[in-house]
Amino acid sequence: MSKTTRKPLVAGNWKMNKMVGESVDLAAALKPLVAGIDGADIVVCPVYTALYAVGEVLKGSNVELGAQNCYVKESGAYTGEISPQMLLDAGCQWTIIGHSERREYFGESDAFLNEKLTFALGAGLKVMFCIGETLEEREGGTMNEVLTRQVVEGLKGLQEGDFASVAIAYEPVWAIGTGVVATPEQAQEAHAFIRSLVQENFGEVVASALRIQYGGSAKPGNAGELISQPDVDGFLVGGAALKADSFADIVKAVV
Ligand code: PEP
């Protein structure tokens, strides 16, 4: 499968931003700006408290709903956590798993993220699974080793059929929220490496169909060049997803 048969995936990670009313307003503003675009899958990931309300706004539109995280149990005494089943119940089709902020601030390990990924897929959610190296790792020459560990341990046990519901987001940590975007060459090199790892571990069919998003200071001004790379299949967008017009412009840049 070549790039042309992989439908671009553009998702907005709103992180811990926006009250319910603001989230609803943002979704309502986004909807008409991307209406009729069917050349990309479009997803927004608000905070938990806004999921249901945003889902109601997005009903019948071409924008899907995602969460930013989830836990590995369906229900029970797990204070503060939320299950994939609850996310589906609130209207989500997607969740992000393994964002670098979860890895860094909440100590989420590759093994735990693998458990989350497996559980979320089993529940019926689609997953954007985030990986990426820090600046220290890149400069210290261990980037490929880190990406290999994150792919091999993070995706462990997945079957070919699972990959229809998985996208990988390559998000170099040094580019997230910094305004320092990876160059198209840096992004392509990493994406191609990730695809080769997936090929080694899960085969050519899975690797060639897998969507690999780029994340890290993606903006309307740099999205065109990045998406023109053969292994860049969309974006996971943080800051630029908090404004309807800039997120819509990134969507338009990929189609
Ligand atoms: C992110 O957090 O997923 C992200 C890519 O953020 P930003 O676009 O703000 O760098």
Side-chain angles (χ1 to χ4, degrees):
M1 196 177 277
S2 71
K3 167 153 184 164
T4 50
T5 51
R6 293 191 296 266
K7 191 175 186 183
L9 170 61
V10 183
N13 173 14
W14 296 358
K15 308 196 188 189
M16 199 175 77
N17 292 295
K18 298 198 180 287
M19 300 302 178
V20 176
E22 295 168 321
S23 302
V24 162
D25 289 349
L26 176 53
L30 177 64
K31 241 183 9 168
L33 298 180
V34 297
I37 294 177
D38 60 7
D41 288 333
I42 307 166
V43 184
V44 294
C45 304
V47 293
Y48 293 135
T49 49
L51 283 174
Y52 181 78
V54 168
E56 289 296 297
V57 172
L58 296 178
K59 262 192 187 149
S61 78
N62 59 341
V63 183
E64 297 186 309
L65 186 67
Q68 300 172 18
N69 185 29
C70 64
Y71 192 53
V72 297
K73 300 285 180 190
E74 183 168 350
S75 62
Y78 303 100
T79 303
E81 292 297 334
I82 191 146
S83 72
Q85 291 81 2
M86 289 163 180
L87 297 177
L88 287 159
D89 182 52
C92 293
Q93 294 99 327
W94 289 90
T95 187
I96 296 168
I97 288 178
H99 192 279
S100 66
E101 288 151 16
R102 300 295 318 170
R103 293 176 187 263
E104 184 183 349
Y105 304 141
F106 303 98
E108 297 193 356
S109 67
D110 293 302
F112 184 46
L113 294 171
N114 175 251
E115 209 184 325
K116 284 194 186 197
L117 174 61
T118 306
F119 192 70
L121 291 172
L125 278 173
K126 295 182 275 191
V127 176
M128 289 172 269
F129 189 76
C130 304
I131 62 173
E133 82 289 353
T134 63
L135 188 59
E136 209 180 18
E137 289 161 344
R138 174 173 276 262
E139 290 182 342
T142 58
M143 166 181 156
N144 287 358
E145 202 178 299
V146 169
L147 294 177
T148 303
R149 192 200 70 228
Q150 291 174 336
V151 166
V152 171
E153 294 185 19
L155 305 184
K156 195 183 269 172
L158 262 58
Q159 303 300 308
E160 187 173 329
D162 293 325
F163 281 91
S165 301
V166 175
I168 290 183
Y170 168 63
E171 300 207 300
V173 179
W174 47 271
I176 295 179
T178 59
V180 181
V181 66
T183 64
E185 295 73 24
Q186 285 172 323
Q188 171 55 25
E189 186 190 8
H191 284 227
F193 180 67
I194 292 162
R195 200 178 301 285
S196 74
L197 287 172
V198 172
Q199 180 177 349
E200 273 167 40
N201 287 276
F202 301 98
E204 170 61 23
V205 172
V206 167
S208 61
L210 181 71
R211 293 182 290 185
I212 305 177
Q213 301 159 277
Y214 168 79
S217 300
K219 303 261 177 318
N222 56 37
E225 253 203 307
L226 286 160
I227 197 68
S228 69
Q229 300 301 308
D231 288 291
V232 176
D233 304 313
F235 296 97
L236 181 54
V237 185
L242 294 173
K243 292 216 164 75
D245 54 356
S246 55
F247 185 66
D249 285 346
I250 293 175
V251 173
K252 287 172 191 161
V254 313
V255 294

